Amino acid sequence: MAEKIMKPEEMANVNHTPPLLSGWMHRPVEIKSGIYCYPAKPASLEYVSFPHAREWSPMDEDWKLPPNWKEIILEGLRERLERFRSLKIFMDICVRCGACADKCHFFIGGGDPRNMPVLRAELLRSVYRKEFTTAGKLMGEIAGARELTVDVLKEWWYYFFQCTECRRCSLFCPYGIDTAEITIVARELLNLLGLNIDWIATPVANCYRTGNHLGIQPHAFKDMIDFFLDDIEDITGIRMEPSLNRKGAEILFVTPSGDVFADPGTYTCMGYIILFHYLQSLGFDLTWSTFASEGGNFGYFTSHEMAKRLNAKMYAEAKRLGVKWILGGECGHMWRVINQYMDTFNGPADFLEEPVSPITGTKFENAKTTKMVHITEFTADLIKNNKLKLDASRNDNLKVTFHDSCNPARAMGLLEEPRYIIRNTCNHFYEMPDNTIREQTFCCGSGAGLNAGENMELRLRGGLPRANAVKYVHEKFGVNMLSCVCAIDRAVFPALMEYWVPEVGVTGVHELVGNALILEGEKKRETNLRGEPLPGMEEEKDV
């Protein structure tokens, strides 16, 4: 943890003027406390057979690299240039126009020039030019090339773990360069030397071992569901009985483990349970799994191969249980992997059927290959077809805005469905400024494995652009709740809001659904899913 977190007014005072005394190639990296995450624990790397697991510290001069570290990196880069045609193109076509320069939340919030996407990519591209282009070999720095040294390697580690792979910069690139893909490859290369961070490596090892990032065993997963059932019964008067690990169910539900084990995601999970109970009388046949108990994929922040290994578990469990298709919860990177990579990684999932809603008959043709439907698509379809009885006034204490989580928005185009649900479950909804939402949405500043505690200054700086937009609607419209469809967002936004806009809370979309749903046989509701009095019930709750 950083020794001292500055006051918001101090941190908001950012100098974006680049240093003029020397070129970026000649300034050694300065690794600062509060900006980096702790290195990966050796045991976590060893569990998934990652190389060169060891104890080391970024603050030490000696990072205990293997003797042939340079050959490992260059051979790894050569292999990826041959495997990924896109990488070769991204290395060659950038003209350094700077269209992306001011689009990164870390540069906006911190002012470090190396966090301009174009310059962050140059950290790798400069070595590529030196080793793999004729101009770079002959002309060196004049051609933008430089030697791969230990200092350069340290610079890679420091800055490629200051990228959340949100892809906002790629939206503005006139050549379509995806800087997030460059970050992914750079992290793969660093991982060849055991230079991963613990907030990625340990969740990856946990997920590989137990099926979720937190390393929770199946019985503990069930215990948490039981706790939710107790709370739901207190609120609604109904004892619900969700299905777990049931073979022959029509649908498998997979959600990020953060929804089961971390507030405020737990209230989103309660919303799922209430929705599924509501639908049972309409012929809805769904089961959860305590083994594939994680929709998120931290493997994607490590390597393509690790992402493939972790993505496979959901489909292996779907085959084991004999379901027809998969319904996925509110997650971010889970949906980029599913939407853009699943068919290459593990698909097509021909043993599953093209998803069709058993309630409305809607065929989700966008899930024809993946056989996996986002829960906001599913719920929005239910509302559109008048299948849900909703009382939006139960959320009248909330003035809600919506954060487009980076991966569902930019990688999936999931823009309207969450808003449609919110407008039907809340009476007060307000949009943030146009250039901060939808495809242009700002990142939470803590994705891609950066949602640790020891890098809090980095997180708060990276979250400044999003927080600034929230502050705008808070001051203009009185917004007091930020909604989202990503477990990492729900985990990190509370600290971000507490720092920048302390009057604003955080919720998932299906928490709002759970509050608004009118259940058959329920008692008079007095509280929302958080145990807070519903509008008009404050006095009764006090009594």
Side-chain angles (χ1 to χ4, degrees), residues 255-266:
T255 196
S257 59
D259 285 349
V260 183
F261 296 102
D263 292 343
T266 52

Side-chain angles (χ1 to χ4, degrees), residues 214-408:
L214 301 175
I216 302 299
Q217 300 287 348
H219 62 276
F221 186 96
K222 181 182 182 302
D223 287 344
M224 285 303 301
I225 297 295
D226 288 340
F227 289 143
F228 297 152
L229 298 180
D230 292 339
D231 289 344
I232 292 171
E233 185 175 12
D234 289 341
I235 294 166
T236 67
I238 299 173
R239 186 68 184 184
M240 301 180 181
E241 297 180 357
S243 167
L244 300 176
N245 303 321
R246 178 167 54 86
K247 290 187 176 182
E250 181 178 359
I251 302 164
L252 169 64
F253 181 63
V254 180
T255 196
S257 59
D259 285 349
V260 183
F261 296 102
D263 292 343
T266 52
Y267 307 116
T268 299
C269 192
M270 292 167 68
Y272 300 151
I273 294 171
I274 292 172
L275 174 64
F276 299 157
H277 171 84
Y278 181 99
L279 297 176
Q280 281 179 357
S281 63
L282 302 178
F284 191 63
D285 184 23
L286 174 143
T287 192
W288 303 54
S289 171
T290 61
F291 300 100
S293 51
E294 180 64 69
N297 193 331
F298 270 41
Y300 189 61
F301 310 143
T302 305
S303 70
H304 291 84
E305 180 60 31
M306 196 68 235
K308 174 181 177 179
R309 290 161 72 182
L310 296 188
N311 186 70
K313 71 182 184 302
M314 295 186 293
Y315 289 89
E317 186 69 349
K319 180 176 287 188
R320 185 184 76 86
L321 295 175
V323 301
K324 293 182 179 179
W325 55 278
I326 306 173
L327 182 65
E330 296 182 15
C331 186
H333 48 284
M334 161 180 164
W335 286 104
R336 185 180 180 199
V337 171
I338 292 297
N339 193 58
Q340 295 189 314
Y341 295 93
M342 186 270 155
D343 195 26
T344 302
F345 282 169
N346 306 112
D350 291 336
F351 62 93
L352 296 173
E353 298 179 7
E354 185 176 342
V356 176
S357 172
I359 310 300
T360 67
T362 297
K363 181 179 291 187
F364 298 98
E365 295 185 357
N366 60 308
K368 185 177 295 185
T369 300
T370 66
K371 311 299 194 296
M372 194 163 176
V373 175
H374 195 289
I375 193 167
T376 59
E377 297 178 273
F378 180 75
T379 302
D381 176 66
L382 292 171
I383 296 173
K384 180 181 178 182
N385 286 279
N386 299 312
K387 297 300 182 181
L388 301 182
K389 295 180 181 179
L390 299 166
D391 180 0
S393 69
R394 291 176 178 174
N395 289 314
D396 273 354
N397 58 320
L398 305 179
K399 293 186 176 181
V400 182
T401 191
F402 180 68
H403 162 73
D404 290 276
S405 303
C406 300
N407 286 314

